[in-house]
Amino acid sequence: MPAHCVSPLARLVRAAAFAVMALAAPLAVCAADVPNVAVASNLQFAMPEIAAAFRRETGRDVRVAFGSSGNLRRQIAEGAPFELFVAADRAFVDALAREQRTVDDGVVYAIGRLALFVPTGSPIEVDAELAGVARALADGRLRKFAIANPELAPYGEAARQVLMHAGLWNAMLPRLVLGENISQAAQFAASGAAQGGIIAYSLVRSTTLAGRGTYVRLPATAHDPLVQKMVLLRNAGGTARALYAFMQGSVARAILERHGFDSPVQAPRASVGSTTPRGKSSIRGG
C-alpha cells in the first residue's frame, strides 16, 4: 500500500501507540526517581512512618539508610549518592553546607530529647538527676553503661554532657559501652549487655523496647540542645525535594512529636516527661 494510503484503522493504531509512549515516559522517569536518603539512627522508628505517609500522599518511594550522623556525613563527603541528609544535629549539616555539597543551608525539623533507660532486673534506680546511677556506680553494682560514641553521634555527645553535668563522667569512663550510633547503644542497654544507658527518648518510646525496662526523660538543661537539621544535597531530584517539603509539614511534624521529638518552634522543656512518682515510667510503645 502506498505510504499516503494509510487506512483509518492503521492511523488509529499508530495514534494509540504514540499516546501510550507519551504516558509511559513520565511514569518511567517517576519510577526511576527513588532517592537515597541518609537518616540519623534516632529516627529509625519515626522515619518509616513518615516515608509511608509520604507514599500515601504522593505515590513516591524513597530508600532510607540509617546510621550515625558522623558516619553519614563522612560518606556524603566521600561521594555516597544520597540526595537528602536528615541529621541528628546541625553541625554535620552546616559542615556539608560550608563545603558546598548542599543546595542551601538546610532547615531545623525537630528538637531531640534524651532518656535514661535501664533494662528489667538492672540494679540502677531510675531518676532524672542520675542519683541512682551515681549510687550504683559508687558501690560497684554498675559494671556496664551504654551511650553512643560521642565522636560519631550527636546523642552520644549529649549523653557525655549529661554525665559531666552530674559529675559522673570520669568515674563512668571505664564502664562505658559505646554504640556506633544511638540505635546500637539502645540495643546494648535493652539486651542486658549494659545495665543501663542514656539513649534517645524517641527510641525508648518504641514498641521494640516495650516491656523491656524503665525509662525517664532527662532534663533538656543538662546538655546542649539537640537541634536536628536536614538538608538537600547537590544532586537532589524531584522526589527528594518533595520529601524535604513534606517533612516540614503538619503530617510529618505530628509523627515526630508522637515519637518523642519536640517541635522546632518549641523551646526544649526541662521537666521530666512522666506522670508517675519520681518521674518513672514503664516502657510503652508509640
Side-chain angles (χ1 to χ4, degrees), residues 25 62 113 141 144 171 196 219 232 242 245 274:
V62 298
R113 298 297 301 271
R141 287 175 294 142
K144 298 291 182 183
L232 286 165
S274 176

Side-chain angles (χ1 to χ4, degrees), residues 5-6 22 29 31 53 58 68 80 92 120 129 132 136 147-148 195 202-203 233 236 244 247:
C5 297
V6 179
V29 171
T58 67
S68 70
F92 291 118
T120 302
E129 293 75 33
I147 66 171
Q195 293 159 303
S202 61
L203 299 184
L233 301 170
Y244 184 65
M247 287 191 65

Side-chain angles (χ1 to χ4, degrees), residues 115-119 124 144-147 159 185 189 194-199 204 218:
L116 169 65
F117 170 82
V118 299
I124 300 173
K144 298 291 182 183
F145 193 81
I147 66 171
Q195 293 159 303
I198 295 176
I199 61 177
V204 301
L218 297 173

Side-chain angles (χ1 to χ4, degrees), residues 64-97:
V64 176
F66 292 105
S68 70
S69 294
N71 277 338
L72 292 171
R73 178 259 188 277
R74 176 182 52 78
Q75 291 172 27
I76 291 166
E78 291 174 353
F82 293 115
E83 298 182 33
L84 175 63
F85 180 29
V86 186
D89 79 342
R90 56 189 166 194
F92 291 118
V93 167
D94 292 345
L96 289 170

Side-chain angles (χ1 to χ4, degrees), residues 10-281:
R11 290 195 188 96
L12 183 60
V13 170
R14 184 179 298 173
F18 282 129
V20 169
M21 290 170 63
L23 288 170
L27 289 174
V29 171
C30 185
D33 185 19
V34 180
N36 295 309
V37 180
V39 180
S41 292
N42 70 306
L43 288 158
Q44 74 171 90
F45 299 112
M47 193 65 195
E49 192 173 334
I50 291 172
F54 176 70
R55 185 183 308 112
R56 287 192 298 271
E57 183 167 306
T58 67
R60 301 186 183 198
D61 287 309
V62 298
R63 282 186 293 266
V64 176
F66 292 105
S68 70
S69 294
N71 277 338
L72 292 171
R73 178 259 188 277
R74 176 182 52 78
Q75 291 172 27
I76 291 166
E78 291 174 353
F82 293 115
E83 298 182 33
L84 175 63
F85 180 29
V86 186
D89 79 342
R90 56 189 166 194
F92 291 118
V93 167
D94 292 345
L96 289 170
R98 286 193 299 270
E99 296 167 5
Q100 300 185 339
R101 302 181 191 276
T102 65
V103 170
D104 56 20
D105 291 335
V107 65
V108 175
Y109 66 91
I111 307 296
R113 298 297 301 271
L114 286 174
L116 169 65
F117 170 82
V118 299
T120 302
S122 170
I124 300 173
E125 297 175 33
V126 176
D127 65 278
E129 293 75 33
L130 305 188
V133 173
R135 286 192 294 272
L137 185 61
D139 64 22
R141 287 175 294 142
L142 195 162
R143 297 182 301 278
K144 298 291 182 183
F145 193 81
I147 66 171
N149 188 334
E151 298 297 321
L152 298 175
Y155 277 70
E157 170 57 22
R160 185 189 69 82
Q161 293 173 10
V162 169
L163 291 169
M164 290 186 69
H165 183 266
L168 301 175
W169 176 249
N170 289 335
M172 187 69 80
L173 274 173
R175 295 167 174 80
L176 287 179
V177 180
L178 299 181
E180 181 178 322
N181 53 58
I182 196 62
S183 294
Q184 189 176 64
Q187 291 168 11
F188 289 156
S191 68
Q195 293 159 303
I198 295 176
I199 61 177
Y201 182 54
S202 61
L203 299 184
V204 301
R205 288 168 58 88
S206 71
T207 54
T208 299
L209 293 183
R212 300 179 69 178
T214 306
Y215 73 87
V216 62
R217 190 170 67 167
L218 297 173
T221 52
H223 59 85
D224 292 340
L226 283 159
V227 179
Q228 304 204 185
K229 202 171 184 182
M230 61 180 174
V231 70
L232 286 165
L233 301 170
R234 293 288 294 272
N235 62 334
T239 298
R241 292 170 185 268
L243 178 61
Y244 184 65
F246 182 81
M247 287 191 65
Q248 298 174 60
S250 59
V251 174
R253 189 155 294 172
I255 292 171
L256 289 167
E257 290 181 1
R258 190 164 62 249
H259 281 270
F261 295 93
D262 284 347
S263 167
V265 298
Q266 288 179 305
R269 297 184 296 273
S271 59
V272 176
S274 176
T275 58
T276 53
R278 299 182 62 206
K280 293 185 181 179
S281 173

